[in-house]
Amino acid sequence: MGEGAGVTTESVKQWLLRFLDGEHSVDVQIERLERLEARIEGTGSPNLDGMPRGSPNHDRVASMLAQKEELENKIRGMITAQADRRRTVEQYVDRLRKPDEKAVVEMRYIDGERWKDISQMLFGSKDDFADREDSFLRRTTRLHERALINLVAVMQEDPPEDLPTDGEGMEF
Protein backbone atom coordinates (compact mmCIF):
# COMPACT_ATOMS: atom_id res chain seq x y z
CA MET A 1 0.00 0.00 0.00
CA GLY A 2 1.34 3.43 -0.87
CA GLU A 3 2.02 5.91 1.87
CA GLY A 4 -1.35 7.06 3.21
CA ALA A 5 -3.22 5.36 0.35
CA GLY A 6 -6.60 3.99 1.35
CA VAL A 7 -6.60 5.41 4.87
CA THR A 8 -10.24 6.16 5.62
CA THR A 9 -12.31 6.30 8.78
CA GLU A 10 -13.84 2.98 7.75
CA SER A 11 -10.44 1.31 7.22
CA VAL A 12 -9.22 2.64 10.60
CA LYS A 13 -12.39 1.40 12.29
CA GLN A 14 -12.00 -2.05 10.68
CA TRP A 15 -8.35 -2.14 11.77
CA LEU A 16 -9.38 -1.39 15.36
CA LEU A 17 -12.20 -3.94 15.23
CA ARG A 18 -9.73 -6.59 14.02
CA PHE A 19 -7.63 -5.88 17.08
CA LEU A 20 -10.70 -6.22 19.32
CA ASP A 21 -11.63 -9.48 17.54
CA GLY A 22 -8.11 -10.74 18.25
CA GLU A 23 -8.61 -10.08 21.95
CA HIS A 24 -11.86 -12.04 21.83
CA SER A 25 -10.20 -14.91 19.93
CA VAL A 26 -7.56 -15.26 22.64
CA ASP A 27 -10.28 -15.34 25.30
CA VAL A 28 -12.19 -18.04 23.39
CA GLN A 29 -9.08 -20.22 23.06
CA ILE A 30 -8.33 -19.84 26.78
CA GLU A 31 -11.91 -20.92 27.53
CA ARG A 32 -11.41 -23.96 25.28
CA LEU A 33 -8.23 -24.82 27.17
CA GLU A 34 -9.97 -24.54 30.55
CA ARG A 35 -12.77 -26.85 29.37
CA LEU A 36 -10.26 -29.35 28.01
CA GLU A 37 -8.37 -29.31 31.32
CA ALA A 38 -11.63 -29.97 33.18
CA ARG A 39 -12.36 -32.94 30.87
CA ILE A 40 -8.87 -34.31 31.42
CA GLU A 41 -9.31 -34.06 35.19
CA GLY A 42 -12.67 -35.82 35.00
CA THR A 43 -11.35 -38.62 32.78
CA GLY A 44 -8.47 -39.88 34.87
CA SER A 45 -9.97 -41.31 38.03
CA PRO A 46 -7.45 -43.05 40.29
CA ASN A 47 -7.09 -46.82 40.18
CA LEU A 48 -7.56 -47.77 43.82
CA ASP A 49 -8.27 -51.49 43.44
CA GLY A 50 -4.92 -52.41 41.91
CA MET A 51 -6.58 -54.13 38.99
CA PRO A 52 -5.30 -53.27 35.52
CA ARG A 53 -7.54 -51.08 33.40
CA GLY A 54 -8.19 -51.23 29.71
CA SER A 55 -6.12 -48.96 27.48
CA PRO A 56 -8.94 -47.03 25.72
CA ASN A 57 -9.22 -44.61 28.66
CA HIS A 58 -5.45 -44.19 28.74
CA ASP A 59 -5.37 -43.52 24.99
CA ARG A 60 -8.12 -40.95 25.36
CA VAL A 61 -6.26 -39.12 28.14
CA ALA A 62 -3.02 -39.21 26.13
CA SER A 63 -4.84 -37.77 23.13
CA MET A 64 -6.38 -35.02 25.23
CA LEU A 65 -2.98 -34.20 26.79
CA ALA A 66 -1.48 -33.85 23.31
CA GLN A 67 -4.41 -31.64 22.30
CA LYS A 68 -3.86 -29.57 25.45
CA GLU A 69 -0.20 -29.03 24.60
CA GLU A 70 -1.06 -27.96 21.03
CA LEU A 71 -3.70 -25.56 22.30
CA GLU A 72 -1.32 -24.08 24.88
CA ASN A 73 1.26 -23.46 22.13
CA LYS A 74 -1.38 -21.89 19.91
CA ILE A 75 -2.53 -19.61 22.74
CA ARG A 76 1.04 -18.54 23.54
CA GLY A 77 1.53 -17.56 19.89
CA MET A 78 -1.79 -15.71 19.78
CA ILE A 79 -0.98 -13.81 22.97
CA THR A 80 2.43 -12.79 21.63
CA ALA A 81 0.96 -11.62 18.31
CA GLN A 82 -1.87 -9.81 20.07
CA ALA A 83 0.58 -8.06 22.41
CA ASP A 84 2.46 -6.80 19.35
CA ARG A 85 -0.79 -5.55 17.80
CA ARG A 86 -1.76 -3.90 21.10
CA ARG A 87 1.53 -1.97 21.18
CA THR A 88 0.94 -0.82 17.60
CA VAL A 89 -2.65 0.26 18.32
CA GLU A 90 -1.55 2.08 21.47
CA GLN A 91 1.24 3.89 19.59
CA TYR A 92 -1.26 5.29 17.10
CA VAL A 93 -3.91 6.11 19.72
CA ASP A 94 -1.29 7.86 21.86
CA ARG A 95 -0.77 10.29 18.98
CA LEU A 96 -4.31 11.65 19.37
CA ARG A 97 -4.12 15.09 20.97
CA LYS A 98 -7.49 15.28 22.73
CA PRO A 99 -7.77 13.18 25.90
CA ASP A 100 -11.49 12.43 25.47
CA GLU A 101 -10.96 11.19 21.91
CA LYS A 102 -8.08 9.04 23.06
CA ALA A 103 -10.16 7.70 25.97
CA VAL A 104 -13.14 6.78 23.80
CA VAL A 105 -10.94 4.82 21.37
CA GLU A 106 -9.09 3.07 24.19
CA MET A 107 -12.28 2.12 26.01
CA ARG A 108 -14.07 0.94 22.87
CA TYR A 109 -11.33 -0.94 21.04
CA ILE A 110 -8.69 -1.80 23.63
CA ASP A 111 -10.97 -2.45 26.61
CA GLY A 112 -13.96 -3.64 24.54
CA GLU A 113 -16.47 -1.50 26.46
CA ARG A 114 -20.05 -0.89 25.34
CA TRP A 115 -21.10 2.60 24.19
CA LYS A 116 -23.39 3.13 27.18
CA ASP A 117 -20.58 2.26 29.59
CA ILE A 118 -18.13 4.53 27.78
CA SER A 119 -20.60 7.39 28.03
CA GLN A 120 -21.03 6.68 31.74
CA MET A 121 -17.26 6.67 32.31
CA LEU A 122 -16.73 9.90 30.37
CA PHE A 123 -19.73 11.91 31.54
CA GLY A 124 -21.27 10.08 34.52
CA SER A 125 -20.00 12.67 36.97
CA LYS A 126 -21.99 15.46 35.27
CA ASP A 127 -24.89 16.67 37.41
CA ASP A 128 -27.41 16.21 34.62
CA PHE A 129 -26.13 12.87 33.35
CA ALA A 130 -29.11 10.81 34.55
CA ASP A 131 -31.59 13.26 32.97
CA ARG A 132 -29.69 13.55 29.67
CA GLU A 133 -28.14 10.11 29.27
CA ASP A 134 -29.16 9.85 25.58
CA SER A 135 -27.63 13.25 24.85
CA PHE A 136 -24.35 12.18 26.45
CA LEU A 137 -24.43 8.93 24.47
CA ARG A 138 -24.70 10.93 21.23
CA ARG A 139 -21.84 13.12 22.45
CA THR A 140 -19.78 9.97 23.01
CA THR A 141 -20.39 8.71 19.48
CA ARG A 142 -19.49 12.13 18.05
CA LEU A 143 -16.23 12.00 20.03
CA HIS A 144 -15.63 8.58 18.49
CA GLU A 145 -16.23 9.93 14.97
CA ARG A 146 -13.80 12.81 15.54
CA ALA A 147 -11.24 10.42 17.01
CA LEU A 148 -11.43 8.21 13.90
CA ILE A 149 -11.01 11.27 11.65
CA ASN A 150 -7.96 12.32 13.66
CA LEU A 151 -6.55 8.78 13.54
CA VAL A 152 -6.89 8.90 9.75
CA ALA A 153 -4.79 12.08 9.77
CA VAL A 154 -2.17 10.39 11.95
CA MET A 155 -2.12 7.27 9.77
CA GLN A 156 -1.91 9.21 6.50
CA GLU A 157 1.75 9.91 7.30
CA ASP A 158 2.61 6.42 8.48
CA PRO A 159 -0.12 3.78 7.98
CA PRO A 160 0.12 0.45 9.84
CA GLU A 161 1.12 -2.47 7.64
CA ASP A 162 -2.08 -4.40 8.36
CA LEU A 163 -4.54 -1.57 7.68
CA PRO A 164 -7.43 -2.93 5.54
CA THR A 165 -7.76 -1.43 2.07
CA ASP A 166 -10.68 -0.97 -0.33
CA GLY A 167 -13.36 -2.97 1.46
CA GLU A 168 -10.99 -5.60 2.84
CA GLY A 169 -12.32 -7.05 6.07
CA MET A 170 -15.77 -5.48 5.72
CA GLU A 171 -17.69 -8.69 6.47
CA PHE A 172 -19.45 -7.29 9.53
Side-chain angles (χ1 to χ4, degrees):
M1 168 170 33
E3 188 151 318
V7 180
T8 64
T9 55
E10 189 59 31
S11 66
V12 170
K13 184 177 178 181
Q14 292 304 318
W15 181 73
L16 291 166
L17 286 170
R18 280 186 183 174
F19 169 77
L20 189 56
D21 286 346
E23 293 285 291
H24 178 70
S25 293
V26 170
D27 292 342
V28 167
Q29 296 306 313
I30 290 171
E31 179 67 27
R32 283 185 62 216
L33 178 62
E34 290 170 353
R35 288 176 182 264
L36 179 60
E37 288 170 337
R39 284 197 339 255
I40 291 170
E41 256 181 55
T43 303
S45 58
N47 182 358
L48 301 176
D49 62 5
M51 298 296 292
R53 293 199 173 177
S55 64
N57 193 37
H58 174 71
D59 290 345
R60 184 170 172 232
V61 170
S63 173
M64 287 192 305
L65 287 172
Q67 184 181 359
K68 177 183 179 234
E69 185 176 340
E70 287 175 24
L71 191 52
E72 286 171 337
N73 289 335
K74 177 180 180 177
I75 291 169
R76 273 192 288 281
M78 290 174 74
I79 288 172
T80 299
Q82 194 62 15
D84 291 343
R85 284 189 293 270
R86 175 183 292 271
R87 278 188 291 279
T88 301
V89 167
E90 288 173 343
Q91 287 172 351
Y92 282 101
V93 173
D94 283 345
R95 292 168 63 185
L96 290 174
R97 290 191 173 112
K98 296 185 179 179
D100 282 352
E101 289 178 8
K102 181 178 173 182
V104 77
V105 172
E106 290 171 333
M107 286 186 270
R108 180 64 177 168
Y109 300 104
I110 296 175
D111 303 338
E113 296 290 345
R114 298 176 318 163
W115 289 115
K116 188 174 183 176
D117 296 330
I118 296 168
S119 180
Q120 170 73 39
M121 287 185 265
L122 289 172
F123 304 112
S125 63
K126 303 279 185 188
D127 292 337
D128 58 346
F129 181 80
D131 297 330
R132 299 182 50 226
E133 198 167 339
D134 287 342
S135 174
F136 284 107
L137 185 57
R138 284 190 300 277
R139 188 171 170 186
T140 300
T141 58
R142 282 193 308 271
L143 267 172
H144 172 258
E145 290 168 14
R146 285 194 306 270
L148 290 180
I149 290 167
N150 289 328
L151 274 173
V152 167
V154 165
M155 291 180 177
Q156 289 287 348
E157 302 165 15
D158 178 30
E161 292 178 14
D162 59 342
L163 186 71
T165 59
D166 300 328
E168 178 188 347
M170 307 291 182
E171 63 272 353
F172 291 95

